[in-house]
Amino acid sequence: MRADAERNRQRVLEAAEEVLARDGAAVSMRAVAERAGVGLGTIYRHFPTREALLQAIVVDRVRRLAESAGPLLAADDPAAAFFTFFTRVVDVSARKKALADEVSGAGLDPKAGLGAVGGQLRAAIEALLRRAQAAGGVRADLAMPELLALLGAACLGAERNQWDDALRDRALGLLFDGLRGP
Amino acid sequence: MRADAERNRQRVLEAAEEVLARDGAAVSMRAVAERAGVGLGTIYRHFPTREALLQAIVVDRVRRLAESAGPLLAADDPAAAFFTFFTRVVDVSARKKALADEVSGAGLDPKAGLGAVGGQLRAAIEALLRRAQAAGGVRADLAMPELLALLGAACLGAERNQWDDALRDRALGLLFDGLRGP
Amino acid sequence: MRADAERNRQRVLEAAEEVLARDGAAVSMRAVAERAGVGLGTIYRHFPTREALLQAIVVDRVRRLAESAGPLLAADDPAAAFFTFFTRVVDVSARKKALADEVSGAGLDPKAGLGAVGGQLRAAIEALLRRAQAAGGVRADLAMPELLALLGAACLGAERNQWDDALRDRALGLLFDGLRGP
Amino acid sequence: MRADAERNRQRVLEAAEEVLARDGAAVSMRAVAERAGVGLGTIYRHFPTREALLQAIVVDRVRRLAESAGPLLAADDPAAAFFTFFTRVVDVSARKKALADEVSGAGLDPKAGLGAVGGQLRAAIEALLRRAQAAGGVRADLAMPELLALLGAACLGAERNQWDDALRDRALGLLFDGLRGP
DNA sequence: CATGAATGAGTATTCATTCAT
DNA sequence: CATGAATGAATACTCATTCAT
């Protein structure tokens, strides 16, 4: 790919990321184009449809999240690692609109638009959970469906209600007590 | 107001409630009019804007929810009453689209579009919480902000991901363990 | 239907008829709206899609053509009636763009977008042909496929090349000699 | 012109010929570029506009048609030669989209976009006609305007309606009977 | 000289809202 | 007072053409 094309592709992605993070999934293509300082056609050159552009951004976010789980899988305290990652996912959702929608619900199954990265994030969560359970830091009867349900809910709540750090810590603190066991 | 006007107002409200519950907040005014069997103008006679109509419905829902808390305030088991009401709010959210948005977050402050009923729901929750805490069934350090944050998150998650009863019970069971205390 | 709605529907149809007759099937909806002096939404109220509007016009033209065959079926000179109708179809095509496309080819089969009127026109042509053949004014071995092929071709030629009356008479005169027999 | 430039010009012409013949005049420049395996800019280097490219192709087709008339001018049976050529033009139109438009109507006047070749084709047709008339195989009162009108119409019909060989023979057979005389 | 990235005017279509009937 | 016809701004997307690389 030519240098200027790659540069413009990045500008489009960054502009779309910004307006998407700020305004949510209802962004118009024209708004993205103006923000990026490019023509409408330039967006469509790099992303065939509106959905493709938005998905590219969300997929990238989810991928980064999944990748960031790597170091935590080798952390000394498996339970802390699990809760750290849970918090991180919620945290990113609070700051980036349209991410929670994907983390929430079925979005982590490969069948969804996320493609493979949905499964990767899910796998990362599951691995962290298993280690934490083996270490006794998370109750043994916690299964993935309810964990994902709660994680998705927290992400949606954090996004919609713009949880600040303090609120997030208090809310997740309560939730984590429940995940540790009664 | 003339009797037929009042009757039409009710028909509009009921129709809007149905389509809003089913299709979510993206519902079109025409869809509401057709469902109600009235003209578009009739809707606008009773509700000045689309937002006003939707809000009237949500306000009504929230009001009913708040009123339904009454008996629970006199229940024998304050903690059970608290958790019952929490579950009820989540349950209704899962079945009625566009409710979770209001329960979530700032919607329960009087400053929001909900008007007074937001405060009423909030007051009901707070009263149930205080009784449950006094009875020792809920941890004493649980404050309203994080409680509302978690309640809103659960509502959003239940709506978006269409929690079934079993999933709702498992997810809320974990959360309630956290609310009882570590 | 309300009087003003019917009036506007007619204005739209007439405006679309004009621009379609003049500019062909590539007309834009905006051009029709401006010509009709109505808003874009008004067109879409009466015709759900661009295709529906254009088809309504062409269907109407074809219907009128088919209906105009009625008196000719009772004419004294069956052969003259047949040739008169053939000429009429070509004549209208020369004056109204986008008609020839429908008369030409498969457009007269009910499967096409013309719906029933395509079949009616075809039936009218066939009836006129049979009478003319029975009267000995048209060769007996003339069948519908080649007749429709020639009629469609003449319509297309007349439209594309804007045959004037004299040219049309000369060209069709030659063709009719062929249809009478060698 | 450099050898590679000439080579690219040919590739563009051939690719455009193919897609034009298959898909008709609505072909996009990008489709031509991809088919030719060259960049869009290369097309515009050789042809200043979309129209220029399409015309170059049609001009070439018409030129070849005109040239193919040469041997027929020396054929033993002038009438057969005339009808053979008429059939050939229709035949090519049926197989190559966007040709009929040019053969049809004014396209054969030098004033049109075809440039000189339009006149050449016209001259070839006229020469064949004169010989056939002199030999008594075509009616003496057949003049060029109506002949061209009918030829153009047949070309358009054959293209639009995708006449197969049998239909073409039947339709043209009827027409030729008319051209021979009543 | 070749490339293909960028442009942006243009397209059909939707929908909240107004207002003549 | 009810109706629903009319409005027109807004949306996603296409494609001939230009021009930086």
Side-chain angles (χ1 to χ4, degrees):
Chain A
M1 182 176 289
R2 267 164 49 175
D4 57 341
E6 181 57 31
R7 192 165 57 243
N8 267 326
R9 187 176 203 276
Q10 283 307 317
R11 290 176 68 183
V12 168
L13 269 176
E14 282 159 25
E17 163 72 34
E18 283 176 45
V19 292
L20 185 66
R22 180 159 19 88
D23 305 336
V27 221
S28 81
M29 297 299 264
R30 188 167 298 274
V32 173
E34 280 167 10
R35 175 81 185 174
V38 303
L40 266 174
T42 304
I43 299 184
Y44 283 94
R45 158 161 298 273
H46 294 294
F47 305 94
T49 66
R50 184 178 183 282
E51 278 318 298
L53 170 59
L54 301 189
Q55 208 161 79
I57 294 168
V58 176
V59 163
D60 191 57
R61 288 176 181 169
V62 171
R63 186 182 49 74
R64 284 194 233 179
L65 263 183
E67 286 172 4
S68 80
L72 291 173
L73 281 167
D76 287 341
D77 185 339
F82 172 74
F83 293 125
T84 295
F85 190 67
F86 192 115
T87 303
R88 182 180 297 163
V89 176
V90 174
D91 203 42
V92 175
S93 288
R95 302 191 200 295
K96 308 280 190 182
K97 287 202 177 175
L99 174 60
D101 283 0
E102 304 301 323
V103 174
S104 158
L108 297 187
D109 288 333
K111 59 193 171 198
L114 280 181
V117 298
Q120 289 170 19
L121 181 57
R122 183 193 165 93
I125 293 168
E126 191 157 15
L128 288 167
L129 170 65
R130 298 295 170 235
R131 275 190 83 225
Q133 286 176 320
V138 168
R139 60 201 293 172
D141 64 345
L142 176 60
M144 284 296 283
E146 55 262 34
L147 172 57
L148 289 179
L150 287 168
L151 175 59
C155 288
L156 287 167
E159 174 194 325
R160 186 72 44 116
N161 201 16
Q162 287 297 292
W163 292 1
D164 60 29
D165 288 357
L167 182 58
R168 180 204 63 206
D169 288 341
R170 283 200 304 276
L172 293 189
L174 292 162
L175 181 56
F176 292 168
D177 281 344
L179 300 186
R180 281 194 195 91
Chain B
M1 181 177 291
R2 273 167 41 177
D4 58 343
E6 178 57 29
R7 195 166 54 242
N8 268 331
R9 187 176 201 277
Q10 281 308 314
R11 290 176 68 180
V12 168
L13 268 177
E14 282 159 25
E17 161 70 32
E18 284 175 45
V19 293
L20 185 67
R22 181 162 16 92
D23 304 337
V27 130
S28 81
M29 294 300 264
R30 187 166 299 274
V32 173
E34 280 168 8
R35 178 79 186 174
V38 303
L40 271 171
T42 304
I43 299 184
Y44 281 93
R45 163 161 304 274
H46 296 292
F47 305 94
T49 66
R50 185 177 182 281
E51 280 317 300
L53 169 61
L54 300 189
Q55 209 160 74
I57 293 166
V58 177
V59 162
D60 190 57
R61 288 176 181 171
V62 171
R63 184 181 51 73
R64 285 194 235 178
L65 261 183
E67 287 172 2
S68 80
L72 291 172
L73 281 166
D76 287 340
D77 184 341
F82 172 75
F83 292 127
T84 295
F85 191 66
F86 193 114
T87 302
R88 180 180 301 163
V89 177
V90 173
D91 205 40
V92 175
S93 289
R95 301 190 201 293
K96 307 277 189 178
K97 289 201 177 171
L99 173 61
D101 283 1
E102 304 302 322
V103 174
S104 159
L108 298 187
D109 288 332
K111 60 194 172 198
L114 279 182
V117 299
Q120 288 169 19
L121 182 57
R122 183 195 166 94
I125 293 168
E126 191 156 15
L128 287 167
L129 170 65
R130 295 298 167 233
R131 277 188 83 227
Q133 285 175 322
V138 167
R139 59 202 293 171
D141 64 344
L142 176 59
M144 284 296 286
E146 53 263 33
L147 173 58
L148 290 179
L150 287 169
L151 175 59
C155 289
L156 287 166
E159 175 194 326
R160 185 73 47 115
N161 202 15
Q162 286 296 292
W163 291 1
D164 59 29
D165 289 356
L167 182 58
R168 181 203 63 203
D169 288 342
R170 283 201 303 275
L172 293 189
L174 293 161
L175 182 55
F176 292 168
D177 282 343
L179 300 186
R180 284 194 194 92
Chain C
M1 183 174 288
R2 268 162 49 174
D4 57 342
E6 180 56 31
R7 193 166 55 243
N8 267 326
R9 186 176 203 277
Q10 283 309 315
R11 290 176 68 183
V12 168
L13 268 176
E14 281 159 25
E17 163 72 33
E18 283 175 44
V19 292
L20 184 66
R22 182 161 18 88
D23 305 337
V27 221
S28 80
M29 295 299 263
R30 188 166 299 273
V32 174
E34 281 167 9
R35 177 79 186 175
V38 302
L40 266 173
T42 303
I43 300 184
Y44 282 94
R45 157 160 297 272
H46 295 293
F47 305 94
T49 66
R50 184 179 184 282
E51 278 318 299
L53 170 60
L54 301 189
Q55 209 162 77
I57 293 168
V58 176
V59 163
D60 190 57
R61 289 176 180 169
V62 171
R63 185 182 51 74
R64 284 194 234 179
L65 263 183
E67 286 172 3
S68 79
L72 292 173
L73 280 167
D76 287 340
D77 185 340
F82 172 74
F83 294 127
T84 295
F85 190 67
F86 193 116
T87 304
R88 181 180 299 162
V89 176
V90 173
D91 203 40
V92 175
S93 289
R95 303 191 201 294
K96 308 280 189 181
K97 287 202 177 173
L99 174 61
D101 283 359
E102 305 301 324
V103 174
S104 157
L108 296 188
D109 287 333
K111 60 193 173 200
L114 280 183
V117 298
Q120 289 169 18
L121 182 57
R122 184 194 165 94
I125 294 168
E126 191 156 15
L128 289 167
L129 170 64
R130 296 298 169 234
R131 276 190 85 225
Q133 286 176 319
V138 168
R139 58 202 293 172
D141 65 343
L142 175 59
M144 284 295 285
E146 53 263 33
L147 172 57
L148 290 179
L150 287 168
L151 175 59
C155 290
L156 287 167
E159 174 193 324
R160 186 73 44 117
N161 201 16
Q162 287 298 290
W163 291 1
D164 59 30
D165 288 356
L167 181 58
R168 180 204 64 204
D169 287 341
R170 284 199 304 276
L172 293 189
L174 292 162
L175 180 55
F176 293 166
D177 281 344
L179 300 186
R180 284 194 194 90
Chain D
M1 180 175 291
R2 275 167 41 176
D4 56 344
E6 178 55 29
R7 195 165 54 241
N8 269 330
R9 188 176 200 277
Q10 280 310 313
R11 290 177 68 182
V12 168
L13 269 176
E14 282 160 24
E17 162 69 32
E18 284 175 44
V19 291
L20 185 67
R22 181 162 16 92
D23 304 337
V27 130
S28 81
M29 294 300 263
R30 188 166 298 274
V32 174
E34 280 167 9
R35 178 78 186 175
V38 303
L40 272 171
T42 304
I43 299 183
Y44 281 93
R45 163 160 303 273
H46 296 293
F47 305 94
T49 66
R50 183 177 183 283
E51 280 317 301
L53 169 60
L54 299 189
Q55 208 161 76
I57 293 166
V58 176
V59 163
D60 189 58
R61 288 176 181 172
V62 171
R63 184 182 49 73
R64 285 193 234 178
L65 262 184
E67 287 171 3
S68 80
L72 290 172
L73 280 166
D76 287 341
D77 184 340
F82 171 74
F83 292 127
T84 296
F85 190 65
F86 192 114
T87 303
R88 180 181 299 164
V89 176
V90 174
D91 205 41
V92 175
S93 288
R95 302 190 201 293
K96 307 277 190 179
K97 288 201 176 173
L99 173 61
D101 283 1
E102 304 302 323
V103 173
S104 158
L108 297 188
D109 288 333
K111 60 192 172 198
L114 279 182
V117 299
Q120 289 169 20
L121 180 58
R122 183 193 165 93
I125 293 167
E126 191 157 16
L128 288 166
L129 170 65
R130 297 296 168 234
R131 278 189 81 226
Q133 286 176 318
V138 167
R139 60 203 291 172
D141 64 345
L142 175 60
M144 283 297 284
E146 54 263 33
L147 172 57
L148 291 179
L150 288 168
L151 175 60
C155 289
L156 287 167
E159 175 195 324
R160 187 74 45 114
N161 202 14
Q162 286 298 291
W163 292 0
D164 59 29
D165 288 357
L167 181 59
R168 180 204 63 205
D169 287 342
R170 283 200 303 275
L172 293 189
L174 292 162
L175 180 56
F176 292 168
D177 281 344
L179 300 185
R180 284 194 193 92

